[in-house]
Each structure stands twice: as structure tokens, then as C-alpha cells.
């Protein structure tokens, strides 16, 4: 039987101001899984996450200053595998066209996208991210490198 070796994934985390606390809580809860991957974030989100998680995050520009566009470009270039974007559905943003463009390009390139906590929980629980290991082994923090069967 052939096997596919799975290891680090590149995950982009982005949140609008009213959703930042929500994302930080979610990321702190899932720190052990996230620490096994390469994390990108827009500027302010990344700064707050780095303080909360205490591991390095690749910080792009702040969203309104081009960070959403940078994230989108990385998706188009195949440099981001997952997008977790807690966007604010109740408040207009000065860079709404960029927000739409980021979500659009994630769909165009068919990467998994989560826009709220419920869907982020599903993504982080995916065997592709090693989430299943966290629920089985709560203290497991080492780099996860596993063998899974191809689909
Ligand atoms: O505006 C954002 C997403 O559209 C997020 O940007 P910041 O993380 O810099 O606040």
C-alpha cells in the first residue's frame, strides 16, 4: 500500500478587530496543534497572536494596509494551505474590497477556509492538521509527522 507523508502545513490566521478576541481564544485553546505548523497572519492579528501563543508567527502587513492582498497573493502562489478568517459580518471595513478578494482567491484556489469558530473547529480537528492527536493526547506538543492512507 502507498502512503502519503503528512507534516507541517501553512495556515493563515486573520481577524477583524471585533473578532480578534475570539480568534485569540480559539488559537490559545488549539495552541498545541498550531505550534506544529507554520502560521501566517496579518499584522495586528499576528502581533496579538504572537503574544498569546508565544511562538513565532510570520507577520504580513496590517489588513487595511495590504495584508489581505498579501495573504491572497500567497494563496495564489501556493504558499498557504489553510485560511482561518474571522471576518466581521456586522461592520463595514475600509478595505472591504480586499476582504472580498481574499475570500474569493481562497475559493478559486480551493483551499479549506473557515470564517467562524464552528468551522475553524472542524478544520483544526482534521487529521491533515494533526488535530485528532490533540484530543487523544492533550499534552502532545512535539512536531507531528504521520503516515496516512491516500484518498
Ligand atoms: O483587516 C484585517 C483583515 O481584513 C486584519 O488586519 P490586522 O490583522 O492587521 O488587523
Amino acid at each position: 500500500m502507498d502512503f502519503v507523508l503528512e507534516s507541517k502545513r501553512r495556515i493563515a490566521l486573520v481577524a477583524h478587530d471585533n473578532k480578534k478576541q475570539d480568534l485569540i481564544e480559539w488559537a490559545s485553546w488549539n495552541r498545541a496543534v498550531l505550534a506544529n505548523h507554520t502560521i501566517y497572519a496579518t499584522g495586528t492579528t499576528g502581533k496579538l497572536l504572537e503574544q498569546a501563543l508565544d511562538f513565532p508567527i510570520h507577520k504580513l502587513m496590517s489588513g487595511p494596509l495590504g495584508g489581505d492582498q498579501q495573504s491572497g497573493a500567497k494563496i495564489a502562489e501556493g504558499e498557504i494551505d489553510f485560511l482561518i478568517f474571522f471576518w466581521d459580518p456586522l461592520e463595514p471595513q475600509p478595505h472591504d474590497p480586499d476582504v472580498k478578494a481574499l475570500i474569493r482567491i481562497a475559493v478559486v484556489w480551493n483551499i479549506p477556509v473557515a470564517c467562524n469558530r464552528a468551522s475553524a473547529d472542524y478544520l483544526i480537528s482534521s487529521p491533515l492538521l494533526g488535530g485528532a492527536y490533540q484530543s487523544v493526547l492533550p499534552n502532545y506538543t512535539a512536531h507531528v509527522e504521520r503516515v496516512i492512507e491516500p484518498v
Side-chain angles (χ1 to χ4, degrees):
M1 165 113 28
D2 290 326
F3 292 99
V4 176
L5 193 63
E6 296 296 337
S7 61
K8 276 190 180 223
R9 301 288 172 150
R10 298 150 308 172
I11 306 171
L13 301 178
V14 183
H16 285 151
D17 288 352
N18 292 336
K19 296 286 175 182
K20 282 186 170 64
Q21 195 52 40
D22 207 13
L23 182 67
I24 287 160
E25 278 173 28
W26 177 86
S28 301
W29 178 260
N30 292 293
R31 185 189 183 284
V33 176
L34 292 172
N36 291 321
H37 299 283
T38 303
I39 308 298
Y40 289 85
T42 46
T44 316
T45 306
K47 212 161 113 183
L48 294 170
L49 282 171
E50 216 163 40
Q51 286 165 5
L53 302 178
D54 200 27
F55 64 74
I57 306 238
H58 295 272
K59 291 187 288 299
L60 306 173
M61 287 177 193
S62 181
L65 299 181
D68 290 37
Q69 294 200 28
Q70 279 185 305
S71 306
K74 285 195 169 297
I75 291 169
E77 288 171 355
E79 292 173 20
I80 286 178
D81 306 306
F82 291 81
L83 173 64
I84 293 174
F85 186 2
F86 286 11
W87 61 275
D88 186 351
L90 298 177
E91 192 163 77
Q93 304 291 321
H95 57 304
D96 267 337
D98 299 9
V99 173
K100 185 173 182 184
L102 173 53
I103 295 168
R104 177 184 172 276
I105 210 72
V107 172
V108 167
W109 286 95
N110 193 31
I111 66 164
V113 184
C115 292
N116 59 23
R117 251 175 120 138
S119 44
D121 283 342
Y122 271 87
L123 277 196
I124 202 77
S125 306
S126 163
L128 290 175
L129 292 176
Y133 275 77
Q134 194 193 20
S135 52
V136 177
L137 300 168
N139 295 322
Y140 186 80
T141 54
H143 176 67
V144 178
E145 200 166 59
R146 299 174 305 101
V147 173
I148 62 167
E149 289 185 34
V151 288

